[in-house]
Amino acid sequence: MFPQQLTDPRVFEIARALLDGFDRHYKIFSETNTQSKRRFEEADWHGQQTAQRVRIEFYDLRVKESVERLEQDYGASTLPMQVWHQIKLFYIGLLTGHRQPELAETFFNSVTIKILDRQYFRNDFIFVRPAVSTEYIDDDDDGDGFGTFRAYYPTRENLQTVLKQMVENYELRVPFEDLDRDIALVYESLIEQIGRVRLRTNFQIQVLSSLFFRNKGAYIVGKMVNGFRSLPFAIPILHNSKSRLYIDAALFGEDDLLALFSFARAYFMVYMPVPSAYVQFLRTLMPRKPRGEIYSALGLQKHGKNLFYRDFLFHLKHSSDKFRIAPGIKGMVMLVFDLPSYPFVFKVIKDYFPPQKEITRQGIMGKYQLVKQHDRVGRMADSLEFTNVAFPRHRFDDELIAELQKFAPSVMEDEDGQVLVIKHLYIERRMIPLNIYIHEAEGDSLEHAVIEYGNAIKDLVAANIFPGDMLWKNFGVTRNGKVVFYDYDEIEYVTDCNFRKVPEPRNEEEEMSGEIWYSVGPRDVFPETFGPFLLGDLRVRKIFMQYHADLLEPEFWQQHQQRIREGYVHDVFPYDRGRRFIHRIQSRQVIHEPPAEVAPVEEPVDVPPLGVAVHDQGMLSGFHSGGTSSAD
């Protein structure tokens, strides 16, 4: 509906109030990102973690503020639809020349959905499609001539000098331990990638103008352009034990960048006056990664979710298969279904749980929120939370409908047999369930999976996360062979658990008893008891005991627990540890003190990615076992 005339003089004021709410949100969001540079320079890792956590809450707070203001000042929920169409039109006008129009449109949707009845916000009144183009928006207000990215035009002779200047232009206030040494290593790695190819007249290096901050690292992200070819790269910068900076590695190619921006890692903190320009640049580095996932990786997860939903509707329109119960072992807490042609799964909290699951719906939602706010260290899948999602009823098979009616009737609403509304659900990337993968895997693939499983647990422990239910079925395998945890209803902080050794039996009766004869507190954990549940397969037991036997010892957990309580923040490397320059330096017998952050207790085992080999084992190549064509 296009408004024919202005019927309410307050329309412009309401549109302006809505945009003011968004502008306030993005101002606070940007200030938090800007301060991440200072926190990195000061090695304020706990401050960085706190900022990462609270930043996620900013959006909902600003939406709530805007809803309250519109209701209080304008009685927004009582305004007729023709007035809301006029508000939307004025709002679009205000976005002309705005530097974050796509985010402002999503904010408009978020606010108005809170105000209006569901029957209205399904129509074209909200921004189902973008109304304002983000093409050719750039940031040139700083007057430095660089805008979103900086371009350097080196020759082969001065390439090292230009690389050094590129790093120095970020103006980090902490000195490097030996920048010349590090640049020489970057140059050496670059030459290994490009060889002695001819440098064309357009040879250049482009890097985004802001650093990307996450965990304890800062990343330079860019690409090298030569003729019609481009080479994406990222350069991680870390602190050493002497409070000096050093370049830890050089990452090249789309796969390395996909791992860096993985859905299983925490969101970056990066200053972006024009986020669409950053996303467009990053898309040239990772063309297989959807725009919505890039927005989410940059901390703009609400707009990422909006783009995801648009893509989902497009997929529904151009497919005909039916939603079904997801393959694999059914969960006791979540009902999981999927669409075979779509690389995601849909998870609904059941209305009731078996007695051994002492948890509530709110408790489960709290666990998922904990994961959203925590550093996922590449081992916990990001989840998109949706409410009141309308599905075409005829796209659900009868078995799935029966399952929903039996286990989750309160979260579904069947409207006229045409539309099925799911009131609350989570959507996650589909992976091969680890139990299915291991059952079918052999040789190197089996060894890789078991090692990766132990690595996943060790990474989670170092990030202060105890998975709770460590069964193989609660982990999945990504396209590149990465093992990721995705069942969150029993996770706890490691520091909240009491890791104990099983007491020695005091008499023969206790020793022969088939029941637990010792006292167990609500947070007691006995790592020695993991074995019978996890290692029934002799093939798996042999590999596990070779690489990860320490996980069955309470001392391992207690050591990490103590380090976390003492304030230690674990180094998380979104790349193979073998790629670190420290190995090149040490192999040449150069005197160099390893960073103090190298852990004195057991670390994950180095294991190269399997890549597409993950899907080259019988049924693992198809949808039967939940395979995915996703880029990550």
Side-chain angles (χ1 to χ4, degrees), residues 126-137:
I126 62 173
F127 290 96
V128 177
R129 294 188 299 271
V132 178
S133 172
T134 57
E135 294 293 320
Y136 303 110
I137 305 177

Side-chain angles (χ1 to χ4, degrees), residues 353-360:
F353 321 121
Q356 61 266 39
K357 291 287 187 179
E358 298 179 359
I359 195 168
T360 64

Side-chain angles (χ1 to χ4, degrees), residues 157-378:
E157 288 71 27
N158 70 353
L159 182 52
Q160 285 198 60
T161 301
V162 172
L163 288 171
K164 181 177 180 180
Q165 184 61 51
M166 176 190 76
V167 174
E168 291 177 337
N169 280 344
Y170 287 100
E171 299 181 344
L172 289 165
R173 293 182 300 158
V174 180
F176 279 78
E177 180 185 59
D178 188 343
L179 184 56
D180 289 331
R181 176 205 64 198
D182 294 348
I183 292 298
L185 290 166
V186 172
Y187 174 79
E188 179 182 299
S189 300
L190 178 59
I191 294 302
E192 291 173 0
Q193 293 290 321
I194 66 174
R196 304 300 298 179
V197 299
R198 176 185 172 187
L199 301 187
R200 304 293 177 177
T201 54
N202 72 329
F203 178 67
Q204 60 186 283
I205 297 174
Q206 299 177 1
V207 291
L208 287 163
S209 297
S210 298
L211 289 166
F212 287 62
F213 298 96
R214 184 174 64 197
N215 196 262
K216 296 164 70 174
Y219 298 83
I220 298 172
V221 178
K223 61 184 175 182
M224 187 193 72
V225 179
N226 189 39
F228 296 103
R229 298 178 180 272
S230 66
L231 177 66
F233 68 84
I235 298 174
I237 301 172
L238 304 178
H239 281 254
N240 69 7
S241 60
K242 299 176 182 177
S243 299
R244 293 291 186 268
L245 302 179
Y246 66 97
I247 294 175
D248 190 55
L251 313 177
F252 295 102
E254 184 183 4
D255 284 344
D256 278 356
L257 271 292
L258 287 171
L260 182 64
F261 285 82
S262 169
F263 70 95
R265 296 199 177 273
Y267 306 136
F268 280 108
M269 305 191 79
V270 53
Y271 174 67
M272 304 170 293
V274 183
S276 60
Y278 271 70
V279 170
Q280 181 59 36
F281 187 96
L282 290 169
R283 282 275 286 170
T284 67
L285 312 184
M286 301 173 286
R288 289 182 290 164
K289 196 167 188 66
R291 284 187 307 129
E293 291 187 16
I294 297 178
Y295 272 101
S296 293
L298 298 176
L300 300 166
Q301 69 273 13
K302 294 295 184 179
H303 187 63
K305 189 170 81 167
N306 190 22
L307 291 178
F308 171 88
Y309 190 63
R310 289 173 181 171
D311 290 342
F312 172 61
L313 292 178
F314 184 84
H315 182 87
L316 275 182
K317 183 178 179 181
H318 293 86
S319 62
S320 58
D321 53 335
K322 291 191 174 186
F323 292 96
R324 61 174 186 178
I325 300 171
I329 301 173
K330 295 180 180 179
M332 292 185 285
V333 170
M334 308 292 282
L335 191 159
V336 184
F337 61 95
D338 70 356
L339 190 67
S341 63
Y342 199 58
F344 290 84
V345 297
F346 303 79
K347 304 172 72 171
V348 173
I349 302 175
K350 293 182 177 180
D351 284 354
Y352 55 90
F353 321 121
Q356 61 266 39
K357 291 287 187 179
E358 298 179 359
I359 195 168
T360 64
R361 172 180 293 274
Q362 290 301 318
I364 295 169
M365 294 171 65
K367 302 287 188 182
Y368 274 80
Q369 185 65 15
L370 183 156
V371 172
K372 175 70 72 174
Q373 296 176 340
H374 201 80
D375 189 345
R376 294 187 295 279
V377 296

Side-chain angles (χ1 to χ4, degrees), residues 413-476:
E413 185 176 316
D414 198 336
E415 297 187 356
D416 302 326
Q418 301 295 317
V419 176
L420 184 67
V421 176
I422 304 295
K423 299 177 183 178
H424 183 264
L425 81 160
Y426 296 98
I427 303 177
E428 291 178 1
R429 180 71 57 80
R430 180 168 56 198
M431 292 171 276
I432 303 171
L434 184 56
N435 61 309
I436 294 177
Y437 184 93
I438 285 178
H439 177 72
E440 300 176 359
E442 297 177 355
D444 291 343
S445 295
L446 175 63
E447 182 177 52
H448 178 99
V450 176
I451 294 174
E452 263 290 283
Y453 167 77
N455 284 348
I457 293 174
K458 288 178 177 177
D459 282 339
L460 290 172
V461 171
N464 197 21
I465 292 293
F466 174 58
D469 192 342
M470 293 166 53
L471 294 176
W472 307 95
K473 69 182 181 67
N474 297 324
F475 293 77

